[in-house]
Amino acid sequence: MNNQNNSHNNKSKRQPNADSPLANNTKTKSDPKSKSVRPTTAREVALEVLTAVEEEGSYSNLVLNQMLNRIRLERADIGLATELVYGTISRLNTIDYFLGQFVAKGLNKLQPWVRNLLRFSFYQIYYLDRIPAHAAVNEAVNIAKRRGHQGISGMVNGVLRNVIRRREELVIPQDLPPAKRIALQHSFPEWMVARWIKQYDEATAEQICISNNEAPSVSIRVNTHRTSRTAMLELLQGEGYDVEISPLSPDGILVHGGGNMALTSWYQDGLISVQDESSMLVAEAVQAKSGMNVLDCCAAPGGKSVHLAEKMNNSGHIIANDIHEHKRQLVDDQAERLQLSIIETTVGDALTLTERYPAESFDRILLDAPCSGLGVIRRKPDLKWNKSMADIKEIVQLQQQLLQNISTLLKPDGIMVYSTCTIERSENEAIVESFLHQNKQFELVPFAPVNTNHAQTGIQILPQDFHSDGFYIAVLRKISM
């Protein structure tokens, strides 16, 4: 994901904002009196993950994967643990708003593990239909007994049973100011909602929030160097998969209820990759052809680099650069799996690419820029609680520098694509418009594979448009003088 490609944009360890619900807002960082209990159930795994995210600033997906690899759970329990972790983080703002009404001394006074136990139990009672409320309470009380003491289990029991009794009363007041109402209704930071209202409008901002709380769809990209989309579609249908062609990408297939496609033999054999539909549009925009010299500036984990190689029919040369040495292997592994040999991986700061390659040496350049990532909150709900307005301001400066710097490497009549996985106009349209204003030798190339009207310059896909990731793409040509 491009928001994690560059160390300029990422700290070595996630640090939640002080005002974020994910921040450790208790005076007691750990509870010396809590019993050490090895997780054995889905709910105990969820509790461990949520508490680690809050106390240590860990990434939820990484901690969850580590836990699931260490503890053998049945498939259904893996699904439940995943649902409880991501669902609770997605709805954190709203959960805390309601739960706060039931905890006499306030949520912030509770030990972190108790707070998270109440949070994901509330999530089950309020948001999930398939789990009986009494079962959610009983499980929470049992965990509280094992980890704490009689007093804590009694409090947990009392709070949750009170939630069940007053379940119908728990509604967000509709007379609140729009940004506050939407933030509480759909569980987003108020500052983020306020920005989206200003940049789009109130209805669009609310739709962005609603869509970001939906489960992401599963889409695969067909390796057209090895097979065709039609052949792959027939293969999948023959095996009983519920599939349809992507309305966004000519290389994409949507898979409904198919599980993890990365575990299939088709993936292992290099016939498909797992990629979001919006992301697939980027290689389409680059318009790379066989034999060309192409630069992918911020390449890891390499999804777009290999897509470019597939579209070039594995003929030509692609420099796939990334700032992180440890991510080089990710790109190499993908290229090997897909049987693509034209990709050369390099490591270094993208700002130094002009020192490593001669001016005007590439036919095509892709700058999939480091960004705030606010278009992929559906896949990474932690993002909304860990970004701030200051983060956006900081990344904008880097994006401007990168675009200006890298543009000198493009040949006359060459094409450069600027893309991000964010819906922030300051990181998208504003960057490109400023660049075009300062660089008269570049022009915007029309690129409209989908019917969107959210941007005057380039295309802006919002999460609700096609239930794909929020993405921005602008195609620029260097005018031959």
Side-chain angles (χ1 to χ4, degrees):
M1 197 60 63
N2 56 1
N3 65 309
Q4 293 187 348
N5 282 345
N6 198 304
S7 67
H8 293 290
N9 186 33
N10 289 283
K11 301 176 178 67
S12 59
K13 190 176 180 182
R14 190 160 59 76
Q15 297 295 326
N17 296 323
D19 297 331
S20 158
L22 282 181
N24 177 15
N25 47 14
T26 61
K27 293 180 180 178
T28 307
K29 285 200 71 176
S30 61
D31 174 24
K33 295 180 181 177
S34 68
K35 300 169 189 171
S36 177
V37 177
R38 186 177 185 275
T40 58
T41 67
R43 289 178 176 82
E44 287 172 335
V45 167
L47 180 58
E48 288 288 319
V49 175
L50 289 169
T51 305
V53 168
E54 181 176 355
E55 287 194 292
E56 300 164 19
S58 307
Y59 288 107
S60 60
N61 60 330
L62 296 182
V63 182
L64 179 61
N65 286 340
Q66 288 168 1
M67 293 281 292
L68 292 178
N69 285 332
R70 199 167 73 236
I71 299 161
R72 297 295 175 192
L73 294 177
E74 297 294 326
R75 184 173 177 178
D77 286 332
I78 292 173
L80 176 59
T82 305
E83 169 79 48
L84 295 183
V85 169
Y86 291 135
T88 302
I89 292 175
S90 278
R91 301 289 186 170
L92 206 54
N93 212 19
T94 314
I95 291 172
D96 282 4
Y97 172 76
F98 286 134
L99 262 182
Q101 301 172 26
F102 295 92
V103 179
K105 294 182 179 179
L107 279 176
N108 290 348
K109 298 290 185 183
L110 298 177
Q111 297 154 20
W113 73 269
V114 179
R115 181 165 51 245
N116 286 303
L117 180 62
L118 287 173
R119 281 170 170 167
F120 78 67
S121 300
F122 181 94
Y123 176 74
Q124 294 167 73
I125 294 168
Y126 193 79
Y127 289 106
L128 299 184
D129 295 330
R130 64 180 186 273
I131 298 177
H134 65 83
V137 176
N138 290 342
E139 291 294 334
V141 170
N142 289 336
I143 292 173
K145 285 178 181 173
R146 284 199 295 275
R147 292 194 57 140
H149 50 70
Q150 196 67 31
I152 292 177
S153 66
M155 184 275 291
V156 167
N157 187 45
V159 167
L160 294 179
R161 292 200 181 280
N162 206 6
V163 168
I164 294 173
R165 279 192 292 273
R166 293 178 51 196
R167 168 73 179 78
E168 299 304 318
E169 301 171 25
L170 301 181
V171 293
I172 301 296
Q174 295 300 298
D175 57 351
L176 296 171
K180 189 175 185 64
R181 178 189 64 77
I182 294 172
L184 276 177
Q185 185 84 48
H186 305 293
S187 214
F188 276 77
E190 190 174 332
W191 69 266
M192 200 176 284
V193 176
R195 281 181 78 92
W196 290 339
I197 290 175
K198 185 177 180 182
Q199 293 174 36
Y200 300 99
D201 56 53
E202 182 180 337
T204 303
E206 185 157 17
Q207 278 302 314
I208 290 171
C209 295
I210 292 170
S211 184
N212 273 327
N213 283 333
E214 296 172 350
S217 58
V218 175
S219 54
I220 58 171
R221 188 190 74 240
V222 178
N223 181 356
T224 53
H225 177 55
R226 303 273 313 282
T227 185
S228 69
R229 180 165 73 167
T230 301
M232 197 65 226
L233 198 69
E234 290 174 354
L235 196 57
L236 286 158
Q237 287 171 331
E239 293 292 328
Y241 281 83
D242 180 8
V243 293
E244 63 177 308
I245 60 171
S246 164
L248 285 187
S249 168
D251 302 327
I253 295 176
L254 290 171
V255 184
H256 306 293
N260 188 350
M261 296 303 291
L263 299 178
T264 65
S265 60
W266 302 308
Y267 179 89
Q268 301 299 329
D269 294 341
L271 295 180
I272 60 169
S273 296
V274 179
Q275 187 178 26
D276 182 78
E277 293 174 277
S278 298
S279 185
M280 292 182 208
L281 285 180
V282 175
E284 200 72 28
V286 175
Q287 302 169 46
K289 297 179 174 58
S290 298
M292 282 187 167
N293 198 27
V294 179
L295 171 64
D296 185 355
C297 303
C298 306
K304 298 180 184 67
S305 294
V306 292
H307 194 192
L308 287 169
E310 290 167 3
K311 297 191 85 66
M312 293 164 67
N313 205 23
N314 200 35
S315 170
H317 188 212
I318 297 174
I319 300 289
N321 177 78
D322 199 82
I323 195 167
H324 299 295
E325 172 64 42
H326 68 279
K327 292 185 176 179
R328 177 202 288 256
Q329 194 62 45
L330 297 175
V331 186
D332 289 338
D333 288 347
Q334 288 216 56
E336 183 179 353
R337 180 180 64 82
L338 295 162
Q339 298 183 21
L340 300 165
S341 58
I342 64 169
I343 298 173
E344 177 189 350
T345 51
T346 65
V347 176
D349 191 326
L351 286 171
T352 67
L353 285 166
T354 53
E355 300 167 13
R356 290 184 269 155
Y357 299 100
E360 300 187 343
S361 56
F362 291 96
D363 300 292
R364 298 285 186 268
I365 294 178
L366 169 58
L367 174 56
D368 192 41
C371 68
S372 61
L374 300 188
V376 294
I377 287 174
R378 181 189 289 153
R379 297 181 190 279
K380 300 179 177 180
D382 314 47
L383 271 173
K384 60 183 173 184
W385 306 119
N386 295 300
K387 293 295 178 184
S388 67
M389 285 189 281
D391 291 330
I392 293 173
K393 190 175 180 180
E394 182 182 351
I395 203 71
V396 162
Q397 293 176 349
L398 174 63
Q399 290 160 341
Q400 288 172 329
Q401 274 184 290
L402 283 170
L403 186 57
Q404 185 63 46
N405 193 300
I406 289 163
S407 66
T408 60
L409 295 173
L410 188 67
K411 288 180 181 177
D413 207 34
I415 285 176
M416 178 170 65
V417 167
Y418 175 85
S419 64
T420 71
C421 61
T422 190
I423 58 175
E424 269 292 317
R425 284 189 164 158
S426 60
E427 299 180 61
N428 295 335
E429 279 186 276
I431 294 284
V432 173
E433 287 169 357
S434 172
F435 174 80
L436 288 171
H437 180 73
Q438 296 173 37
N439 297 273
K440 301 300 183 187
Q441 73 276 33
F442 280 84
E443 64 179 3
L444 188 70
V445 178
F447 177 67
V450 294
N451 183 25
T452 63
N453 57 357
H454 303 296
Q456 299 294 319
T457 305
I459 65 166
Q460 176 69 70
I461 299 172
L462 298 181
Q464 64 265 37
D465 291 339
F466 301 96
H467 299 284
S468 58
D469 289 347
F471 235 88
Y472 176 80
I473 302 171
V475 184
L476 306 166
R477 176 186 288 119
K478 190 172 188 178
I479 301 167
S480 183
M481 299 292 188

